[in-house]
Amino acid sequence: MSTTIETNATSLLRFATAGSVDDGKSTLVGRLLHDSKSVLADQLEAVERVSLGRGQEAPDLALLTDGLRAEREQGITIDVAYRYFATPRRRFILADTPGHVQYTRNMVTGASTAELAVVLVDARNGVVEQTRRHAAVAALLRVPHVVLAVNKMDLVDYAEPVFAAIAAEFTAYAASLGVKDVLAVPISALAGDNVVEPSAHMDWYGGPTLLEHLETVPVGSDPSAEPARFPVQYVIRPQTEEHPDYRGYAGQLASGVLRVGDAVTVLPSGLTTTVAGIDAFGRGTDIAWAPQSVTVRLADDLDISRGDLIAAGATPAPTKDIEATVSHLNERPLRAGDKVLLKHTTRTVRALVKEISYRIDIDTLEQRSGAEGLNVNDIGHVKLRTAEPLALDDYTDNRRTGSFLLIDPADGTTLTAGMAGEAFETVRATEPAEEDWV
Amino acid sequence: MTTATDSPVRTDNPFALSHLDALEAESVHIFREVAGEFERPVILFSGGKDSILMLHLALKAFAPAAIPFSLLHVDTGHNFPEVLAYRDRVVAEHNLRLHVAHVQDFIDDGRLRERPDGTRNPLQTVPLLDAIEKGRFDAVFGGGRRDEEKARAKERVFSLRDEFGAWDPRRQRPELWSLYNGRHAVGEHVRVFPLSNWTELDVWQYIEREGIELPEIYYAHERDVFSRGGMWLTAGEWGGPKDSEPVERRLVRYRTVGDMSCTGAVDSDATTIEAVIAEIAASRLTERGATRADDKLSEAAMEDRKREGYF
């Protein structure tokens, strides 16, 4: 007999988890995988074998996620791991990010592609520094949806007031950071309350279980509401008898919609033309939208190559002067005067770090000016000068065309993750509001 | 994962992408990034379903032009004949260039020694690195998926290897957004995994959707097999069966295809792709757990092999 699973197309949610060391994050991830029946017998058997070998009584679900030798030896998670599971409603890619303070860069990495972040707190401790840090990173990376999972409710007698106070404090804090969608769920990862199955101990909670929310939260944005951005990756020129004159620009739509006949601007040159054709893997189509990978043909024979941006709607002004919020990822500090490479969409250019404007204290959100440089895991604001103009959007408006990497030209090391514009929406929001008063 | 409900993509959003479309778009983006940034990329092609899927995606990524990469097969010498025939057919059909590195050559001239258990899978690393060096390949596509194994769950899409081909999980570059960093020094190369985010079920669903042909050993067929280490193995010149291992004729199929000496068949009556998908969805064993002997050697078998340059 076979249990059936739906094999139809479903949607895909990428999400990240963050929690402090003892908040029970690994247990939560293990519980999600286990209770959604995504852990298969041989994996569970391996976990049981290792747990027993270590003298533990129950299988340690954290072992499901700690894959490296050093992690198992030390009992900690040292790197982002990606987990995959599915329910009949949706497919999930989980970026499982370590919670240590010194691994802020890992949460930044996991959050960069996430549409939802689960921030875990211990119900006994409530909102702590680390919780604010996780909320700040989620806000900084513009993760659209945040879930506060108040864990270990079993250790506070499943008391509603405990949950309500933590939820209220966190929601207010997240809102001040510009996070628009926050849901708080009271759970016990160890006992399984409200993770996959509704809890029998918390009748007072009327919301969805964590998994229900993950299954139903809206995925993606509405491409029709965004200006089209199409970074050119590669020029396709078959030069065959069948296609002697074919010249197509291959890329993935970073945002928006492109239709045949649309007027477009090619940046940084600023030349304009129209879309003559769109090919989706060799087949013609009238329309393409983010994040589809397609090939675009243009009406005029312009000089376009990898690194150019085909844009429609309001286009960003190409500039050599960039101000950005950055998360420094490498042990080698970033200092004013450093010469680096900057990778933005499909274009890599030389760049100079002109100024480290300030470092952000991620716990208090205060700006610490006079920063000499940024150390690993620091978040700060920098001014850069590039050798060639770049067409960047603000990261607030576009996560793909507003983001970049700084790379060490000597050995290719990825140094820094950059987000064009100011760090938090609240900072931006005050400016137009003030103008209204004028 | 046990209830059957039809729940297609939400219809209220005309721009919704199915998970297969989203994965396809991401993989195609990765192929094009490599084409744009590297001088001499190569696709590792074994004739297994993951490498067949990679090839299919690469063909789509550059249509109507040809794939700007050649193929590399590390031949253990213990092949399923159906798979070799498939490989040669595909290469001819798409007019591809195929490089073959033979493990046997390395055994013959003494650079490698046959293992007592006859398993050649771990022996692939040396010929692979040799072929990469000789071919001066700077980007090497592999069909590895993060869902396969927990060390692979930590693997980047672009994975830098040093001049010895080694992977150091502690010194991996952070990988953010879809900004892949392919910088490398001369002598180093980058392993690229365009199927990182696919699961076994995704692969099969996509193969069904696209109507991709596979070697017939992926579907149920009668075969003479013997049991070793809890798996059904096919008799071959590599050293099986022993006298104590009686041969049986069984209805089986393969979930993975690799070296004959360590790739096990599973009991199955799934002769169609629909039946295969139903069987995988209901399976309580992972693909590698069910069919790969080499991963059972130790708790960190995959991690250790990857550190040495294996995929």
Side-chain angles (χ1 to χ4, degrees):
Chain A
M1 124 95 240
S2 71
T3 43
T4 47
I5 184 176
E6 66 79 39
T7 52
N8 290 328
T10 54
S11 58
L12 181 65
L13 176 75
R14 293 170 199 254
F15 74 106
T17 52
S20 308
V21 181
D22 295 319
D23 287 345
K25 188 177 63 64
S26 292
T27 311
L28 174 64
V29 172
R31 173 65 63 187
L32 264 179
L33 297 175
H34 182 266
D35 287 8
S36 65
K37 303 191 171 49
S38 303
V39 181
L40 298 181
D42 55 320
Q43 293 171 315
L44 200 58
E45 184 199 69
V47 165
E48 280 165 357
R49 194 175 57 233
V50 174
S51 300
L52 279 176
R54 287 184 185 170
Q56 291 164 318
E57 284 174 16
D60 181 357
L61 290 179
L63 290 171
L64 285 169
T65 56
D66 291 345
L68 300 174
R69 198 182 274 282
E71 291 176 321
R72 286 190 298 275
E73 283 164 6
Q74 298 173 37
I76 58 157
T77 317
I78 59 171
D79 201 350
V80 183
Y82 293 88
R83 308 285 156 201
Y84 302 83
F85 66 102
T87 69
R89 287 163 141 180
R90 192 168 264 179
R91 275 266 288 106
F92 300 96
I93 299 178
L94 160 57
D96 184 13
T97 71
H100 279 268
V101 177
Q102 65 266 40
Y103 295 123
T104 299
R105 62 175 173 185
N106 285 337
M107 191 188 161
V108 170
T109 300
S112 72
T113 51
E115 291 197 67
L116 182 145
V118 178
V119 176
L120 206 63
V121 303
D122 184 328
R124 296 170 302 177
N125 304 330
V127 173
V128 295
E129 262 185 30
Q130 194 69 328
T131 318
R132 284 193 291 275
R133 174 178 288 259
H134 293 144
V137 171
L140 186 70
L141 273 290
R142 309 285 164 192
V143 179
H145 310 281
V146 171
V147 175
L148 174 74
V150 182
N151 191 25
K152 305 194 184 181
M153 285 300 293
D154 53 319
L155 299 183
V156 295
D157 299 326
Y158 297 105
E160 180 178 15
V162 175
F163 168 74
I166 297 170
E169 184 183 351
F170 182 84
T171 307
Y173 182 70
S176 78
L177 293 169
V179 178
K180 291 189 181 67
D181 179 45
V182 182
L183 174 77
V185 187
I187 65 165
S188 166
L190 196 65
D193 293 283
N194 286 338
V195 177
V196 173
E197 301 296 331
S199 170
H201 302 104
M202 290 181 275
D203 295 341
W204 46 264
Y205 174 71
T209 65
L210 177 61
L211 184 66
E212 249 179 280
H213 184 61
L214 295 175
E215 285 181 314
T216 52
V217 73
V219 168
S221 52
D222 178 6
S224 64
E226 301 163 355
R229 298 284 185 266
F230 185 79
V232 175
Q233 277 189 286
Y234 190 75
V235 183
I236 293 182
R237 288 202 305 138
Q239 294 175 298
T240 54
E241 272 181 38
E242 203 186 336
H243 302 281
D245 302 317
Y246 186 98
R247 188 180 180 85
Y249 303 102
Q252 182 175 25
L253 270 146
S255 64
V257 179
L258 271 186
R259 289 182 176 82
V260 173
D262 278 356
V264 292
T265 305
V266 180
L267 297 170
S269 70
L271 298 169
T272 57
T273 181
T274 55
V275 175
I278 300 172
D279 296 320
F281 313 134
R283 272 201 298 264
T285 178
D286 296 332
I287 182 169
W289 61 88
Q292 289 181 330
S293 282
V294 293
T295 305
V296 171
R297 285 175 286 118
L298 298 176
D300 298 294
D301 203 6
L302 306 177
D303 176 17
I304 299 172
S305 55
R306 177 174 168 83
D308 286 337
L309 181 76
I310 295 173
T315 54
T319 177
K320 291 182 175 178
D321 290 294
I322 296 164
E323 294 192 26
T325 305
V326 298
S327 168
H328 191 61
L329 309 167
N330 198 271
E331 278 71 17
R332 208 173 305 163
L334 186 74
R335 298 186 192 285
D338 282 355
K339 286 180 178 145
V340 293
L341 293 170
L342 186 155
K343 179 164 187 176
H344 169 245
T345 67
T346 55
R347 177 177 284 245
T348 304
V349 300
R350 284 177 297 122
L352 170 72
V353 181
K354 279 173 65 186
E355 182 185 312
I356 308 279
S357 318
Y358 53 85
R359 186 175 68 80
I360 297 170
D361 183 324
I362 201 78
D363 298 320
T364 62
L365 301 185
E366 282 168 25
Q367 298 175 2
R368 303 288 164 88
S369 55
E372 268 184 35
L374 296 176
N375 294 318
V376 63
N377 292 310
D378 278 353
I379 288 170
H381 194 82
V382 301
K383 290 181 179 169
L384 304 164
R385 171 86 177 174
T386 58
E388 296 166 47
L390 293 177
L392 285 102
D393 283 298
D394 240 9
Y395 186 76
T396 317
D397 301 322
N398 196 317
R399 288 171 88 183
R400 278 186 101 135
T401 53
S403 56
F404 60 84
L405 300 179
L406 299 183
I407 295 168
D408 188 328
D411 62 4
T413 302
T414 300
L415 298 171
T416 309
M419 292 152 280
E422 290 291 339
F424 294 100
E425 210 163 48
T426 40
V427 179
R428 284 164 49 87
T430 54
E431 291 160 11
E434 279 167 11
E435 279 170 17
D436 287 345
W437 286 98
V438 175
Chain B
M1 245 164 71
T2 50
T3 44
T5 21
D6 283 347
S7 46
V9 178
R10 292 155 58 96
T11 48
D12 52 345
N13 178 3
F15 298 108
L17 283 193
S18 73
H19 77 279
L20 291 180
D21 285 330
L23 291 171
E24 179 189 62
E26 179 181 77
S27 298
V28 165
H29 174 258
I30 293 163
F31 276 112
R32 289 165 165 180
E33 279 300 282
V34 171
E37 298 241 311
F38 291 84
E39 296 292 323
R40 290 177 65 82
V42 70
I43 298 178
L44 274 194
F45 189 82
S46 65
K49 67 180 185 314
D50 297 316
S51 56
I52 290 168
L53 177 59
M54 272 207 296
L55 183 61
H56 181 85
L57 288 163
L59 286 163
K60 279 192 159 197
F62 301 100
I67 302 178
F69 318 127
S70 53
L71 303 184
L72 171 63
H73 181 208
V74 180
D75 182 347
T76 62
H78 294 157
N79 299 292
F80 294 94
E82 298 91 333
V83 176
L84 279 192
Y86 180 97
R87 178 195 78 183
D88 294 340
R89 207 160 60 236
V90 167
V91 165
E93 186 188 338
H94 299 290
N95 200 19
L96 300 163
R97 182 153 175 241
L98 173 73
H99 314 265
V100 182
H102 295 277
V103 171
Q104 189 65 51
D105 293 348
F106 286 71
I107 294 173
D108 290 348
D109 67 17
R111 280 179 287 172
L112 282 175
R113 196 153 30 136
E114 195 91 75
R115 293 159 52 100
D117 62 4
T119 295
R120 284 188 174 179
N121 214 36
L123 301 184
Q124 289 181 78
T125 302
V126 172
L128 169 65
L129 295 177
D130 180 72
I132 290 170
E133 195 183 325
K134 288 223 168 72
R136 290 179 291 112
F137 299 121
D138 53 0
V140 183
F141 288 103
R145 307 189 319 263
R146 288 179 183 143
D147 81 318
E148 280 181 86
E149 209 278 336
K150 55 191 170 185
R152 282 202 165 144
K154 302 265 170 178
E155 182 65 271
R156 301 290 187 260
V157 174
F158 274 40
S159 179
L160 182 69
R161 302 300 170 104
D162 65 16
E163 63 266 50
F164 303 104
W167 180 66
D168 183 350
R170 292 202 139 185
R171 299 197 56 81
Q172 297 194 89
R173 292 172 179 166
E175 203 159 67
L176 297 96
W177 299 290
S178 51
L179 291 170
Y180 303 109
N181 178 359
R183 296 258 149 191
H184 60 281
V186 175
E188 296 177 339
H189 70 276
V190 175
R191 302 276 173 96
V192 182
F193 300 97
L195 307 184
S196 286
N197 286 324
W198 297 63
T199 65
E200 182 187 17
L201 193 56
D202 297 330
V203 169
W204 279 102
Q205 287 179 346
Y206 188 78
I207 285 169
E208 180 188 36
R209 184 181 99 172
E210 302 283 305
I212 300 168
E213 188 205 339
L214 295 182
E216 49 270 47
I217 64 170
Y218 278 109
Y219 300 101
H221 57 287
E222 285 208 339
R223 181 177 281 268
D224 287 331
V225 291
F226 63 93
S227 176
R228 181 182 293 176
M231 294 191 306
W232 295 116
L233 298 179
T234 295
E237 290 172 5
W238 49 270
K242 295 174 194 155
D243 289 343
S244 57
E245 296 169 327
V247 171
E248 289 178 48
R249 191 149 188 91
R250 298 185 73 91
L251 191 59
V252 296
R253 68 173 201 87
Y254 285 87
R255 276 175 81 173
T256 67
V257 166
D259 185 275
M260 275 177 99
S261 60
C262 66
T263 307
V266 294
D267 287 315
S268 169
D269 57 5
T271 53
T272 63
I273 190 151
E274 294 81 9
V276 167
I277 289 174
E279 190 179 284
I280 291 164
S283 173
R284 302 300 303 137
L285 290 178
T286 62
E287 181 181 335
R288 301 197 79 87
T291 65
R292 287 299 180 95
D294 43 339
D295 288 338
K296 295 183 176 171
L297 295 176
S298 85
E299 171 74 4
M302 175 68 88
E303 179 182 345
D304 293 344
R305 274 182 291 143
K306 279 165 64 68
R307 282 174 178 276
E308 290 163 12
Y310 185 80
F311 260 88

